[in-house]
Amino acid sequence: MPDRMYAMVLEHPLRPLLGQWRPLPQPGPGQVLIRVGACGVCRTDLHIADGELPPHKLPLIPGHEIAGTIVMAGDAATSLRIGQRVGVPWLGHSCGRCDFCRRHRENLCDQGKFTGYDLDGGYAQYAVADADYCIPLPDQYDDLHAAPLLCAGLIGFRAYSMMQADAVRIGIYGFGAAAHIIAQVARHDGREVFAFTRDGDRRSQDFARSLGAAWAGDASQAPPAGIDAALIFAPAGALVPTALGHVRKGGDVICAGIHMSDIPSFPYSLLWGERQLRSVANLTRADGTAFFRFAAAHPIDARAVPFALSRANEALDALRRGAFDGAAVLVPD
């Protein structure tokens, strides 16, 4: 084992990440050390780096879509084995004792700790994680293509699971990393997908159609038919009343991001008709089990856009500009 590792570190919001050599972290009781094979670049990383989410830990190694191999285990880390491939998601720890945890809603735990926010994450060659919060990865996904599934897939799947089971036609607002995965999940389930993108973004609209979307157009456009549910992945609060206006009576609008701009006021008539407006907060370990069981049985083409670890700032800037379709993934140099 080396005694050092290379990492990209956030020392101050609104400043570029810095490449640093750091001592190799050691796993404590119940923890494992993972050699990072790939780490996805999530919009939440961008919110943290841009100061839109208040810092919880500085300096910080970001990254919460970690796919890699266990190379060392601390005491009592018996649920996993050295050499096993695992993923590390956003939820890195919960207290296990509070009312939320006892009701299987650990995603709402007030003492929860989150990878790449409260805990150093995967923008590095190695990462330490709580063994009980790691997810075994299906063999058919290599690290590059498993990494986006660990947040874009998991949070998207939690949002998707919140809509009513009889929803047939769903609208997806913001066709980025999460949307391109969940569009495939919906198509596997036999649902019709309408994709809404930034106005004039013909590239992303073509991308959505290539993944089976029945219609793709501008977010300001009315779809060709009413939708039963809307999943909002774009961090734009103005999309909430827009989506409510297109959802049929009894339908759902689900906001799937950890950060969103303010929602403007809207007339009650948009909500009336037993429409429901919900948010998604984090994820549970049960979400990870359910989603990766689905992913093992239904091929998901995660369109990974690889960047060398040392180019993390370029990856974040490309995400900020919407310069690619699919999901950016850092690969250790």
Side-chain angles (χ1 to χ4, degrees):
M1 296 292 296
D3 58 5
R4 296 191 306 162
M5 70 171 189
Y6 187 76
M8 296 296 291
V9 180
L10 176 69
E11 293 200 334
H12 300 282
L14 297 173
R15 296 184 189 177
L17 306 185
L18 299 177
Q20 296 179 356
W21 286 97
R22 289 188 155 200
L24 188 74
Q26 299 298 304
Q31 295 182 324
V32 292
L33 178 66
I34 297 164
R35 182 191 301 116
V36 177
C39 183
V41 179
C42 178
R43 185 162 290 277
T44 300
D45 300 338
L46 194 58
H47 293 318
I48 294 168
D50 288 351
E52 293 170 327
L53 290 173
H56 283 191
K57 176 186 185 299
L58 292 173
L60 170 73
I61 301 174
H64 57 272
E65 296 179 308
I66 306 168
T69 304
I70 296 172
V71 294
M72 189 184 301
D75 294 341
T78 58
S79 59
L80 302 170
R81 67 183 186 278
I82 292 175
Q84 185 174 3
R85 290 180 63 242
V86 295
V88 183
W90 173 244
L91 182 65
H93 184 77
S94 57
C95 77
R97 301 179 303 275
C98 69
D99 185 52
F100 291 120
C101 287
R102 290 198 305 270
R103 289 189 290 147
H104 307 291
R105 304 184 74 183
E106 62 191 7
N107 59 308
L108 302 179
C109 175
D110 289 329
Q111 304 302 315
K113 294 186 182 298
F114 301 100
T115 311
Y117 194 28
D118 302 287
L119 309 167
D120 280 336
Y123 285 21
Q125 293 173 320
Y126 292 85
V128 165
D130 188 323
D132 289 341
Y133 291 77
C134 294
I135 303 170
L137 296 176
D139 290 338
Q140 62 263 50
Y141 298 96
D142 61 18
D143 290 345
L144 180 68
H145 295 90
L149 304 181
L150 286 155
C151 183
L154 283 176
I155 293 294
F157 192 72
R158 183 172 178 84
Y160 177 80
S161 301
M162 281 186 172
M163 68 185 189
Q164 296 172 69
D166 60 356
V168 174
R169 183 183 298 121
I170 67 172
I172 299 179
Y173 286 81
F175 208 83
H180 94 283
I181 292 170
I182 295 309
Q184 296 177 63
V185 172
R187 295 299 300 133
H188 281 306
D189 283 343
R191 292 186 165 99
E192 189 175 26
V193 174
F194 288 174
F196 298 84
T197 73
R198 293 171 177 165
D199 286 7
D201 188 354
R202 303 293 177 253
R203 187 199 71 212
S204 292
Q205 291 167 16
D206 290 342
F207 180 51
R209 284 188 284 266
S210 75
L211 293 174
W215 175 88
D218 295 349
S220 63
Q221 285 183 263
I227 53 181
D228 300 309
L231 308 181
I232 302 179
F233 294 112
L239 291 174
V240 171
T242 299
L244 282 168
H246 299 319
V247 169
R248 300 171 63 200
K249 289 186 288 187
D252 305 300
V253 173
I254 299 161
C255 303
I258 192 172
H259 172 79
M260 179 179 273
S261 60
D262 289 349
I263 300 171
S265 63
F266 55 87
Y268 176 65
S269 59
L270 288 179
L271 187 62
W272 187 80
E274 300 191 352
R275 295 174 179 87
Q276 299 182 75
L277 176 60
R278 303 188 65 177
S279 70
V280 169
N282 314 312
L283 70 146
T284 68
R285 285 172 284 182
D287 293 326
T289 299
F291 176 64
F292 277 96
R293 184 185 301 122
F294 184 98
H298 303 84
I300 294 175
D301 180 11
R303 301 290 179 88
V305 181
F307 291 80
L309 173 61
S310 57
R311 295 176 56 212
N313 288 308
E314 295 176 47
L316 287 168
D317 186 58
L319 177 60
R320 188 182 288 111
R321 293 183 288 108
F324 59 85
D325 291 313
V329 180
L330 300 180
V331 180
D333 301 54

